Amino acid sequence: MSNTPIRVAINGYGNLGRGAEKAILASDDLEMVTIFTRREPDSLDTVSGKVASVSDMADYVGQVDVCINCGGSATDLDQQGPETVKLFNTVDSFDNHSHIPDYYATMNKHASAAGHLAVISSGWDPGLFSINRVLSEAILPHGSTYTFWGRGVSQGHSDAIRRIPGVQDAKQYTVPVQSVVDRILAGEQPELETRDKHLRECFVVAEEGADQAAIEEAIVTMPGYFADYDTTVHFISAEELQRDHSAMPHGGRVIRSGETSEGTNQVYSFNLALDANPEFTGAMLVATARACSRMAAAGETGARSVLDIPPALYSPKDGDELRAHFL
Amino acid sequence: MSNTPIRVAINGYGNLGRGAEKAILASDDLEMVTIFTRREPDSLDTVSGKVASVSDMADYVGQVDVCINCGGSATDLDQQGPETVKLFNTVDSFDNHSHIPDYYATMNKHASAAGHLAVISSGWDPGLFSINRVLSEAILPHGSTYTFWGRGVSQGHSDAIRRIPGVQDAKQYTVPVQSVVDRILAGEQPELETRDKHLRECFVVAEEGADQAAIEEAIVTMPGYFADYDTTVHFISAEELQRDHSAMPHGGRVIRSGETSEGTNQVYSFNLALDANPEFTGAMLVATARACSRMAAAGETGARSVLDIPPALYSPKDGDELRAHFL
């Protein structure tokens, strides 16, 4: 909207941080300030060539409009979020759904105290999926909402397989049951058990001499992870795993099926098919950083989520252009 | 968010007004105040039983938080919008895309002068489709956006057929070319001509003794409406038209296909499959009225579109509940 670029920093340089970096570099209205890392800065090969030690973060106050925290929710963000928002406006992808209210309260307190704005839990789920769950239920109060994930790699399930004795490496795909998706898209509102919605497909590299039958049994009966699903296990070589399963595809759907009057079905659906989950999530975080910077510039402080952000603020285009060409 | 219901009125009682009425009655947090009509109030059979003459509108000042203008953009809204916003906050579905900037400017002027808020161009296109066009391009700046409409009835095209001599009645369906939709969903970004995206399917009741071949020729060669499309014409009886083509199904898709890095495709898609277009559009207008009322209560005045509305404001649920269960 203005010609002054929005100055964005990244905190943490794993797959997500790298995805965010690419998205910043692809956006003319954003300036890539630096990437903060806990590692030795010289050891990082960033796309932009920019990198700084996380211990020097305070030196960047006044040079950064928004900092995108790219740590994981499991451990990093609980600490990274409150610390960073003391210095900057922040955006993150906190995705531990059951802890979101606590994390929101914590970030709201620290952001408000610092006079900064913290947008939490952006990305696609939470994020775009959340927007669609809220909008669709607001429009169709009488109905059912379904979320499907995949086909995509689940890091948590892959890790769980790797912890089984005799397993050298593994990748697990979450796969929606297409016949059920099709029924819902056709207007049905079925009651579904966990098993009805998703399959789990595992590609496992066994150690030499390991008991494959025992590994398979350990996987398919694992409570919490696999026992409630129809699970298939394929044993493959390390080379095959590397060659065929190194990408990070993901995606999924939110479907709301509702009635506006007796017998009148309306089906609302949102779908993502992603070649690379971290690059797409990074791109959504960057669009969110644009919105965050504008809301902060307008005087907003405290914590927000994507549910609090008007769509226009994500776009580099101004209101006149959006109304003329996108509305 | 509060226990005081939001008081909503409807202006105009065609299919859309009736759809909006049903949606208000289906929402616990909204109160159906009345329906304004230009017709003789006693002649209207409304679901709620509420009805008033449009000439008594000013008597309702102070009793209405938002008035939903349900006139058509072709003629009604240009007048209805500015007049109504002098009295109330308003929501409408102005959908004449090329005139939106002018209409926005007009409504902005009148709403600002009156200290009211006017949300224009809600519904699904413009409306939900607009939100998705803006969001998806903001996330995926390098790519292509495609909009498909249908399968659904186009009123304008049906009317165009009815004006042909010898035609007694007609319904026209706009039908997306599924093979092209599938290619785009699979990650392709084809360059498409008008003819590649949609088919037009016409069901025509000819007058007795009319020359059907001449009617068909007049349809398929009609410039602006049919000449640029592959069009099929079916002649049927008045009874068949009534029996099989009285519903108003519609829907469509917005698809954004983009790359976040060389060769990495990300496909974002939004889809509606609607049994009854006016009921769904009415439901979206009602959710928008909820948001409009809240934004006005927070002091906002002037014109807005759905691009300016945070998702949470459409929902009857408060921020805590949305974060806990929808984020």
Side-chain angles (χ1 to χ4, degrees), chain B residues 8-14 17 32-41 44 46 50-61 63-64 66-71 80 84 87-89:
Chain B
V8 186
I10 288 170
N11 186 13
Y13 199 66
M32 172 77 240
V33 179
T34 196
I35 294 162
F36 299 115
T37 180
R38 285 177 297 201
R39 290 178 273 170
E40 170 58 45
L44 255 63
T46 65
K50 297 188 172 168
V51 63
S53 169
V54 73
S55 57
D56 296 332
M57 205 181 248
D59 299 344
Y60 286 81
V61 168
Q63 300 173 47
V64 171
V66 188
C67 181
I68 303 178
N69 284 325
C70 292
Q80 204 178 63
T84 315
L87 306 175
F88 312 115
N89 303 305

Side-chain angles (χ1 to χ4, degrees), chain A residues 262-284:
Chain A
E262 181 87 27
T264 302
N265 291 314
Q266 317 275 21
V267 182
Y268 171 120
S269 68
F270 177 75
N271 188 30
L272 293 174
L274 310 175
D275 273 2
N277 184 4
E279 286 192 13
F280 185 83
T281 303
M284 176 60 182

Side-chain angles (χ1 to χ4, degrees), chain A residues 27-325:
Chain A
S27 302
D28 292 340
D29 65 322
L30 305 180
E31 180 190 330
M32 172 76 240
V33 179
T34 196
I35 293 160
F36 299 115
T37 180
R38 286 177 295 202
R39 290 176 274 170
E40 170 57 45
D42 290 342
S43 73
L44 255 64
D45 185 21
T46 65
V47 179
S48 61
K50 296 188 173 170
V51 63
S53 170
V54 74
S55 58
D56 295 332
M57 205 180 248
D59 298 346
Y60 286 81
V61 168
Q63 298 174 49
V64 171
D65 296 310
V66 188
C67 180
I68 302 177
N69 284 325
C70 292
S73 344
T75 50
D76 297 345
L77 282 175
D78 274 330
Q79 216 175 18
Q80 204 178 62
E83 283 176 6
T84 315
V85 83
K86 289 176 189 162
L87 305 175
F88 311 116
N89 303 306
T90 63
V91 166
D92 68 50
S93 62
F94 189 91
D95 65 357
N96 188 334
H97 290 261
S98 61
H99 291 188
I100 284 175
D102 284 347
Y103 183 67
Y104 175 86
T106 302
M107 290 301 282
N108 193 44
K109 184 182 71 179
H110 288 283
S112 299
H116 288 137
L117 185 67
V119 181
I120 68 160
S121 302
S122 186
W124 57 274
D125 192 8
L128 294 170
F129 277 20
S130 321
I131 292 171
N132 282 287
R133 282 190 281 260
V134 169
L135 259 172
S136 62
E137 195 191 273
I139 301 164
L140 300 171
H142 303 287
S144 306
T145 301
Y146 302 88
T147 302
F148 291 90
W149 297 273
R151 187 174 190 258
V153 173
S154 163
Q155 213 52 58
H157 287 78
S158 301
D159 290 345
I161 299 172
R162 288 192 201 99
R163 287 191 294 265
I164 296 171
V167 171
Q168 183 186 312
D169 204 351
K171 274 281 168 74
Q172 193 269 183
Y173 294 87
T174 305
V175 185
V177 177
Q178 191 59 44
S179 59
V180 170
V181 171
D182 290 341
R183 282 171 57 200
I184 297 169
L185 289 176
E188 284 189 50
Q189 292 182 39
E191 296 264 350
L192 299 172
E193 304 289 325
T194 300
R195 190 179 299 276
D196 302 326
K197 292 180 64 188
H198 296 92
L199 307 171
R200 298 204 174 275
E201 204 178 343
C202 312
F203 294 87
V204 180
V205 181
E207 288 170 0
E208 220 178 299
D211 180 346
Q212 297 194 354
I215 291 172
E216 178 163 350
E217 181 66 14
I219 293 172
V220 301
T221 60
M222 195 186 296
Y225 286 88
F226 295 98
D228 297 335
Y229 296 86
D230 291 335
T231 302
T232 54
V233 179
H234 308 277
F235 288 94
I236 60 175
S237 68
E239 294 70 35
E240 286 171 310
L241 192 80
Q242 170 69 25
R243 186 191 68 207
D244 301 334
H245 303 283
S246 290
M248 282 170 284
H250 218 313
R253 298 175 189 267
V254 171
I255 311 176
R256 176 82 179 170
S257 178
E259 287 192 341
T260 46
S261 61
E262 181 87 27
T264 302
N265 291 314
Q266 317 275 21
V267 182
Y268 171 120
S269 68
F270 177 75
N271 188 30
L272 293 174
L274 310 175
D275 273 2
N277 184 4
E279 286 192 13
F280 185 83
T281 303
M284 176 60 182
L285 293 185
V286 167
T288 307
R290 182 182 289 119
C292 175
S293 160
R294 291 171 173 170
M295 293 163 77
E300 295 195 43
T301 62
R304 299 287 188 282
S305 78
V306 293
L307 303 179
D308 306 305
I309 302 179
L313 296 188
Y314 294 99
S315 171
K317 295 177 171 154
D318 69 15
D320 285 341
E321 191 173 357
L322 292 177
R323 279 186 294 275
H325 301 295

Side-chain angles (χ1 to χ4, degrees), chain B residues 117-150:
Chain B
L117 185 67
V119 181
I120 68 160
S121 301
S122 186
W124 57 274
D125 191 8
L128 294 169
F129 277 20
S130 322
I131 292 171
N132 282 286
R133 282 191 280 260
V134 168
L135 258 172
S136 62
E137 194 191 276
I139 301 164
L140 300 171
H142 303 287
S144 306
T145 300
Y146 302 88
T147 302
F148 291 90
W149 297 273

Side-chain angles (χ1 to χ4, degrees), chain B residues 62-182:
Chain B
Q63 300 173 47
V64 171
D65 296 311
V66 188
C67 181
I68 303 178
N69 284 325
C70 292
S73 341
T75 50
D76 297 345
L77 282 175
D78 273 331
Q79 215 174 20
Q80 204 178 63
E83 283 176 6
T84 315
V85 83
K86 289 174 188 163
L87 306 175
F88 312 115
N89 303 305
T90 63
V91 165
D92 68 50
S93 62
F94 188 92
D95 65 357
N96 188 335
H97 290 261
S98 62
H99 292 188
I100 284 175
D102 284 347
Y103 183 68
Y104 175 86
T106 301
M107 290 300 283
N108 192 45
K109 184 182 71 179
H110 289 284
S112 299
H116 289 138
L117 185 67
V119 181
I120 68 160
S121 301
S122 186
W124 57 274
D125 191 8
L128 294 169
F129 277 20
S130 322
I131 292 171
N132 282 286
R133 282 191 280 260
V134 168
L135 258 172
S136 62
E137 194 191 276
I139 301 164
L140 300 171
H142 303 287
S144 306
T145 300
Y146 302 88
T147 302
F148 291 90
W149 297 273
R151 187 177 190 261
V153 173
S154 163
Q155 213 53 58
H157 287 77
S158 300
D159 291 343
I161 299 172
R162 288 191 202 101
R163 287 191 293 264
I164 296 172
V167 171
Q168 181 187 315
D169 203 352
K171 275 280 168 73
Q172 193 269 185
Y173 294 88
T174 305
V175 185
V177 177
Q178 191 60 44
S179 59
V180 170
V181 172
D182 290 342

